[in-house]
Amino acid sequence: MTISHAIITRGGWNEDVISMFCHWMSTAPEEAYFVDVGAYVGTVAIGVAACGYSVFAFEPHAANFNFLQESIALNPSYSSQIWPYQKALGNTTGTTCVSASSSDQSNARIVPGRGTSVDYQCPQGIVPITTLDEVTKNFQIWAINIDAQGFDPAVIAGAWKHLSGKTPPRYIRFKVETGMYNWQTLNTELNLEDILRGMQDLGYSLRDEDNDIIVNVKQHLLNVGHFATYMTAVYHGRPEGRSGG
């Protein structure tokens, strides 16, 4: 595997996390996909593809998307396994503004309070925003990695048809950053606590960074406060009396 300059200097190379994703995918049917939301320069997408799996990679920021394409081009053996999209994912469709600081483009994010309107200045570019359900509606998704700089709840809400369907994703890793966006910007009818409870109702167990099961969602979010932390949702099957849509 060729690691692009962008990955070496910008993306990091977290072998433990990539190994975990590859382990998740080793239990997937051949036709299933891995989804990388906030793919940045391709660290995760290239790593999972190198393990032999197919990847949808979403990166809305223009400069980062160029780095992602560079990483894919430097790895032609895996290029046919990666489908890159310069789109933002959320719970709506339209356009939005994605911006990053000049010193650290890894923090590229949807501009808070901008919604999906285009009637404002966006020097780093207006990009399409859509839902994971819409883009991947004809595909089976086995595992999802979300690193959307606080927009993760909207991404999850926009994948609810997958989560509540007959073949829901088995693994979802996402970052919890409370207070980053208001719910009007996220365009979700439910707050983060409700979304997490909804995932539990669908048959997912929620785990913290130490892989301990989260029973009391409200208390866990209070403990997290405004610190960023990763959570993992693992699907164990529908509760009795519930069936997929």
Side-chain angles (χ1 to χ4, degrees):
M1 181 195 327
T2 301
I3 302 177
S4 73
H5 177 72
I7 287 179
I8 294 172
T9 60
R10 296 173 178 268
W13 188 253
N14 193 329
E15 292 185 6
D16 291 340
V17 172
I18 293 171
S19 294
M20 178 181 68
F21 293 152
C22 289
H23 174 69
W24 289 355
M25 292 303 297
S26 70
T27 63
E30 185 177 354
E31 68 274 12
Y33 287 76
F34 181 91
V35 173
D36 189 19
V37 182
Y40 190 34
V41 298
T43 309
V44 168
I46 295 292
V48 174
C51 289
Y53 305 110
S54 299
V55 180
F56 286 108
F58 295 88
E59 174 51 56
H61 190 265
N64 292 341
F65 186 75
N66 288 337
F67 286 129
L68 171 62
Q69 290 182 306
E70 172 196 333
S71 299
I72 295 172
L74 286 171
N75 290 274
S77 298
Y78 318 126
S79 61
S80 63
Q81 298 165 226
I82 303 174
W83 283 260
Y85 290 86
Q86 191 186 353
K87 295 177 181 288
L89 289 185
N91 191 37
T92 187
T93 58
T95 54
T96 192
C97 177
V98 174
S99 185
S101 69
S102 58
S103 60
D104 182 10
Q105 291 181 348
S106 69
N107 68 5
R109 66 187 70 218
I110 291 176
V111 177
R114 298 300 193 183
T116 57
S117 173
V118 296
D119 58 351
Y120 55 85
Q121 291 188 343
C122 184
Q124 295 190 33
I126 292 169
V127 300
I129 183 170
T130 187
T131 68
L132 186 61
D133 281 336
E134 177 61 28
V135 179
T136 63
K137 58 187 176 184
N138 296 320
F139 300 90
Q140 182 179 0
I141 304 303
W142 192 258
I144 306 173
N145 176 52
I146 308 173
D147 194 347
Q149 302 295 332
F151 215 67
D152 302 42
V155 177
I156 294 171
W160 210 256
K161 289 182 180 178
H162 274 300
L163 272 62
S164 59
K166 294 181 179 179
T167 56
R170 293 308 192 261
Y171 304 94
I172 307 170
R173 183 177 185 260
F174 54 97
K175 188 185 289 186
V176 174
E177 295 185 76
T178 60
M180 181 65 68
Y181 293 101
N182 60 39
W183 302 112
Q184 182 180 7
T185 302
L186 291 172
N187 198 42
T188 57
E189 296 179 359
L190 304 176
N191 61 30
L192 176 58
E193 181 181 342
D194 291 332
I195 289 173
L196 296 178
R197 289 184 182 275
M199 295 174 77
Q200 289 177 319
D201 290 342
L202 290 175
Y204 286 92
S205 67
L206 303 176
R207 300 174 181 269
D208 62 19
E209 285 189 310
D210 296 321
N211 203 36
D212 293 327
I213 294 177
I214 299 167
V215 178
N216 189 324
V217 169
K218 182 176 183 178
Q219 186 60 52
H220 179 75
L221 294 178
L222 287 173
N223 293 341
V224 169
H226 290 287
F227 293 98
T229 183
Y230 283 99
M231 292 176 62
T232 301
V234 182
Y235 181 74
H236 292 291
R238 302 276 184 239
E240 187 175 350
R242 296 180 64 96
S243 60

